[in-house]
Amino acid sequence: DDVRDIIFTLTDHGSIASLNTAFEVSTGLSRDEWVGRQFADLVHPADLPRAMEMFESILSGSQMPLFELRGRTRSGEYRTFEFKITVNRTAEGMILGTARDVTERKQAEEERARLVSAVESAADAIVITHPATGVIQYVNRTFEQVTGYARKDAVGRTLHFLESGKHDEEYFRGIRETLAQDGVWKGTLENKRRDGSPYFEECTIWPVKNKNNEIINYVYIKRDV
């Protein structure tokens, strides 16, 4: 009962045989009211066919990987749970499993996927670097198109490989000083493509900070002008 994950047992007919306290904490539902009822009544209708398919596999004794289903809560909201079913039965012959609420993790994964898609589709070149070393950790597709350098040729290097030689060290020192003082730098750079041809870009640089206000990355937005 002190475990944060839901621990449950099921009969071979799909009825709930037991639930721990975490079931009530995660769903707001009473375990006393749900013991003896069908687990399928808790599953999102769209996930029910898959849930029944997984249940048939469990009955056949198959080793089950982790899987996710959406489960109902007292408020009517559906949350995402990650299930683990053990191969061995309980002493009473019941199916034994655990369920972990992964709703926030799932939402974070979906948000990250949307962000990555947006960044990859951006019309401007986007570069992310390490704050201390300046080593490139990410470039998007537009960066490849503008510079002629493939992602694998850019990641792990610093942006100095694009330098045209038109800007001296004092110019770059000014960029660093502006970032340290104002947090953001905007300006125009003349760089060089892979084929040696020069191009001008409007560049904006700003830091990404963690919850402790520590800089963990610098992001560059580069527009070919």
Side-chain angles (χ1 to χ4, degrees), residues 5-135:
D5 292 348
I6 298 171
I7 300 176
F8 61 89
T9 57
L10 303 174
T11 69
D12 284 358
H13 300 293
S15 61
I16 300 170
S18 67
L19 294 162
N20 69 338
T21 302
F23 172 79
E24 297 182 333
V25 174
S26 296
T27 67
L29 299 168
S30 168
R31 55 178 170 171
D32 291 337
E33 293 177 7
W34 277 92
V35 169
R37 297 176 64 175
Q38 292 291 307
F39 81 87
D41 294 338
L42 287 169
V43 179
H44 191 289
D47 292 351
L48 192 54
R50 182 166 180 267
M52 299 312 297
E53 179 183 337
M54 302 297 280
F55 188 64
E56 290 299 323
S57 297
I58 292 167
L59 292 178
S60 69
S62 300
Q63 175 72 50
M64 299 301 297
L66 293 174
F67 61 94
E68 294 178 358
L69 296 170
R70 286 170 291 177
R72 184 156 63 88
T73 64
R74 185 180 183 87
S75 66
E77 172 195 13
Y78 284 91
R79 297 185 66 81
T80 303
F81 293 88
E82 182 181 73
F83 289 85
K84 172 64 178 176
I85 307 297
T86 64
V87 176
N88 299 323
R89 299 288 189 104
T90 68
E92 296 79 17
M94 301 295 177
I95 298 165
L96 174 64
T98 63
R100 174 173 296 179
D101 188 340
V102 294
T103 305
E104 280 73 24
R105 187 188 76 187
K106 194 76 173 175
Q107 290 171 344
E109 290 172 353
E110 292 171 354
E111 181 178 348
R112 180 180 183 277
R114 286 193 296 270
L115 177 61
V116 169
S117 177
V119 169
E120 281 292 305
S121 303
D124 296 336
I126 297 176
V127 181
I128 299 175
T129 66
H130 187 280
T133 64
V135 170

Side-chain angles (χ1 to χ4, degrees), residues 143 147 149 158-165 190-194 199 201 222:
F143 176 90
T147 67
Y149 287 94
T158 69
L159 282 167
H160 291 300
F161 75 91
L162 293 177
E163 288 180 13
S164 63
E190 182 178 349
N191 283 333
K192 185 171 60 177
R193 305 182 205 274
R194 184 165 193 159
Y199 72 100
E201 65 177 29
K222 297 168 164 287

